[in-house]
Amino acid sequence: MIMPELPEVETIKNNLQEIKGKKITALNIRRQDIIKQKDFDPEELIDQEVTNIDRRGKYLCLATGNHCHLLVHMGMTGRFFLLDQELSYEDKHLHFVLHLDPGRKILFQDPRRFGGIWFVRETATFFQTMGMEPLSPDFSPEYCLKVMARRKTSIKNILLNQSIIAGIGNIYADEALYAAGIMPDRPGAGLSSREMARLHRAIQEVLRKGIEEKGTTVRDFRDGYNRSGGFQNQLQVYGRKNQPCFRCGQTIGVTKIGGRSSHYCSRCQQ
DNA sequence: CGCTAGTCCTGTCTGC
DNA sequence: TGCAGACAGGACTAGC
């Protein structure tokens, strides 16, 4: 099971750079309920050039020449990928198609439909409540200490809170906490500055590694060409319940935190 | 405001 | 072999 997190969306973003400058020729909304917001008529995108493909948190953002934005969130099982016109494709759970000139298309497929598409005019407003990008220069141990001060909830919950840090999901949260040697149920405010420095570094390391490996594929994730990623082979704790810790041999445990499974090594993490 | 529990959804896995 | 139930969880909402 997978949800596309920051490294997965970043991978799709990188793949899709080649459509920059291409013209949108048509679009096909096959399921209305995956459209979450419509600041403008989607038809306005037709005949427009894709001017930019960006990422903010777990959102992919396509900009067009007339200052319109198409935002995509993959939810848990969403796929957003390029396909050459002549190739056949599985159209089950296919909710949206963007046709590009010449003869290519981008498909949005999402069996579980936790994902969606937003037609947004002002991205600044849309992303107003989104937290800091963890790979930006402003993301520092000091920032972490500041935003986690006085928070009694678990550090795991804080890492998953998109309004504090953008883009971290269950897999990279567990991996970062393992790499930092911190138990996921520790209250955020209880972390020492030394621990916060370790966590800050671990977050950046696992995310960078995830991007380098072009994402994690447990079952569902596919990149902008519908290919699998490689980070699943480097997971230390996520999905390794009852298996020995690579570092110390202790059995990896799982507990529920905030309704989500949290994987940890009780010897390597305090 | 901070936090928890419930909700949505369907493919896959488990146990009888 | 078949089938019911558990499970996966991102983001949002209601309620305390």
Side-chain angles (χ1 to χ4, degrees):
Chain A
M1 194 56 53
I2 206 70
M3 49 280 141
E5 308 181 25
L6 187 154
E8 288 72 29
V9 184
E10 184 74 11
T11 299
I12 296 172
K13 182 198 102 177
N14 291 337
N15 292 155
L16 294 186
Q17 289 306 309
E18 64 166 289
I19 68 161
K20 211 181 272 185
K22 298 276 186 282
K23 199 161 86 176
I24 296 167
T25 54
L27 51 86
N28 182 8
I29 298 168
R30 295 171 43 114
R31 246 200 107 100
Q32 282 295 335
D33 61 3
I34 58 120
I35 307 300
K36 308 295 183 186
Q37 186 174 332
K38 256 194 230 179
D39 291 353
F40 54 86
D41 185 345
E43 299 284 317
E44 279 189 44
L45 295 178
I46 293 168
D47 288 335
Q48 292 295 320
E49 261 184 27
V50 177
T51 53
N52 202 26
I53 302 103
D54 216 339
R55 179 194 58 74
R56 180 76 170 94
K58 301 176 193 172
Y59 289 84
L60 192 71
C61 178
L62 270 71
T64 58
N66 56 343
H67 305 292
C68 290
H69 299 91
L70 189 159
L71 309 185
V72 189
H73 195 296
M74 315 297 161
M76 283 185 60
T77 55
R79 296 176 183 184
F80 193 76
F81 60 99
L82 255 176
L83 197 69
D84 289 320
Q85 195 80 38
E86 64 272 17
L87 295 179
S88 64
Y89 57 90
E90 175 60 57
D91 72 352
K92 200 177 179 192
H93 305 300
L94 178 63
H95 309 314
F96 179 80
V97 186
L98 194 69
H99 296 265
L100 298 169
D101 186 46
R104 309 188 81 183
K105 52 195 168 190
I106 295 178
L107 310 187
F108 177 65
Q109 249 177 340
D110 186 9
R112 215 157 301 179
R113 304 209 303 279
F114 277 19
I117 289 176
W118 291 252
F119 295 101
V120 171
R121 196 75 74 179
E122 290 295 331
T123 52
T125 316
F126 187 86
F127 292 126
Q128 209 166 17
T129 57
M130 183 141 292
M132 188 178 283
E133 284 292 325
L135 295 180
S136 76
D138 289 339
F139 182 68
S140 63
E142 292 71 30
Y143 173 80
C144 295
L145 275 170
K146 198 181 105 192
V147 293
M148 295 180 198
R150 295 185 307 281
R151 286 192 186 259
K152 292 190 178 70
T153 194
S154 69
I155 184 64
K156 173 69 182 278
N157 275 339
I158 294 171
L159 293 183
L160 293 178
N161 186 334
Q162 301 301 299
S163 69
I164 300 173
I165 304 172
I168 300 176
N170 208 33
I171 295 177
Y172 292 93
D174 282 3
E175 292 297 314
L177 287 166
Y178 172 80
I182 296 164
M183 282 292 271
D185 62 353
R186 292 268 303 280
L191 268 64
S192 68
S193 55
R194 182 188 294 264
E195 288 174 319
M196 200 64 87
R198 287 209 310 265
L199 181 58
H200 167 268
R201 176 204 280 265
I203 288 168
Q204 293 201 324
E205 271 177 6
V206 297
L207 292 177
R208 289 204 178 104
K209 200 80 178 179
I211 294 169
E212 204 176 298
E213 294 291 332
K214 298 180 165 52
T216 307
T217 299
V218 179
R219 283 197 201 117
D220 298 304
F221 174 71
R222 295 294 186 277
D223 70 8
Y225 300 109
N226 209 22
R227 298 176 306 205
S228 302
F231 193 66
Q232 64 277 9
N233 302 317
Q234 300 197 31
L235 296 176
Q236 303 295 302
V237 284
Y238 184 86
R240 298 197 63 246
K241 179 184 175 183
N242 293 337
Q243 293 176 47
C245 171
F246 291 131
R247 193 186 292 159
C248 77
Q250 173 83 312
T251 303
I252 300 299
V254 186
T255 185
K256 286 272 181 198
I257 298 175
R260 300 191 190 108
S261 62
S262 296
H263 307 73
Y264 61 92
C265 169
S266 60
R267 198 175 292 169
C268 293
Q269 292 169 261
Q270 282 91 44

